[in-house]
Amino acid sequence: MDLLKAELPDLYETLRPLLSAEAAAETAGTGVDAADLEQAVWVRLLERRRFPAEPADWLRRAVRGEARRARRRARREVPYGHRQNAVQGGPGARTRTSAGAEPEDALMHGEQNRALRSAVARLPGRCPELMRALLSPRDLTYREIAGELGISQGSLGPVRSRCLGCLRRMLAVEVAAPALRGMER
């Protein structure tokens, strides 16, 4: 720990410009604040309690990881009052949360996930492994997925396309086609 305390000021001065650039690049157009991302990476470094062997590489990976977490968090966050219905009354009436819709949404979402995972399990060849890796909550990169599956990173895209095509065809058979719109002849 003393080694980290001694090298921290030098490390801070060395990595600060790189961290600022990486955080700005990762947060561009995402709605995530670059300063929050930088702070999260510094906290991650302090929690690590040892000096990284390759600080610049570690920093890039840490920024990407923290940015993914921040984007996931931003997608899941719902502002207060998102599902509110006005209580009967005039102007300035109180609002209440609609309790009936949330359990139904959770049930429908759960059924959709089960149907998708069931279809993925029935895919041929290596597709189930690949699709499980792509759907993983760990949010793996292509490099990590290729390493786990033991295939080259370059073949991952074509294999993914074939697997998604198979999955699309399977689900199209199971799900009724939408009704036609407009005038029918």
Side-chain angles (χ1 to χ4, degrees), residues 128-149:
E129 297 173 75
L130 175 61
M131 296 307 293
R132 276 193 294 273
L134 289 170
L135 293 170
S136 169
R138 294 185 344 211
D139 197 23
L140 302 171
T141 64
Y142 265 28
R143 179 180 292 161
E144 293 166 337
I145 292 171
E148 279 190 12
L149 299 179

Side-chain angles (χ1 to χ4, degrees), residues 45-165:
L45 177 64
L46 291 174
E47 287 174 343
R48 187 179 161 87
R49 296 182 185 237
R50 57 187 155 93
F51 192 72
E54 294 290 330
D57 290 338
W58 177 88
L59 182 90
R60 286 184 189 97
R61 286 192 311 273
V63 168
R64 276 199 323 263
E66 290 297 330
R68 280 194 305 263
R69 280 187 205 88
R71 285 191 298 266
R72 273 194 306 251
R73 224 179 3 259
R75 279 193 307 259
R76 285 191 308 247
E77 287 179 351
V78 178
Y80 287 122
H82 173 68
R83 296 184 169 254
Q84 292 185 345
N85 298 329
V87 176
Q88 299 285 334
R94 295 175 302 138
T95 59
R96 65 177 169 82
T97 304
S98 64
E102 291 177 16
E104 291 170 2
D105 289 344
L107 178 67
M108 291 302 292
H109 186 67
E111 286 179 13
Q112 289 170 347
N113 279 343
R114 278 190 292 280
L116 176 64
R117 296 209 184 274
S118 172
V120 164
R122 294 190 314 262
L123 286 171
R126 300 192 77 173
C127 290
E129 297 173 75
L130 175 61
M131 296 307 293
R132 276 193 294 273
L134 289 170
L135 293 170
S136 169
R138 294 185 344 211
D139 197 23
L140 302 171
T141 64
Y142 265 28
R143 179 180 292 161
E144 293 166 337
I145 292 171
E148 279 190 12
L149 299 179
I151 60 177
S152 71
Q153 189 175 346
S155 66
L156 201 55
V159 171
R160 179 189 63 99
S161 294
R162 284 193 300 274
C163 293
L164 287 175

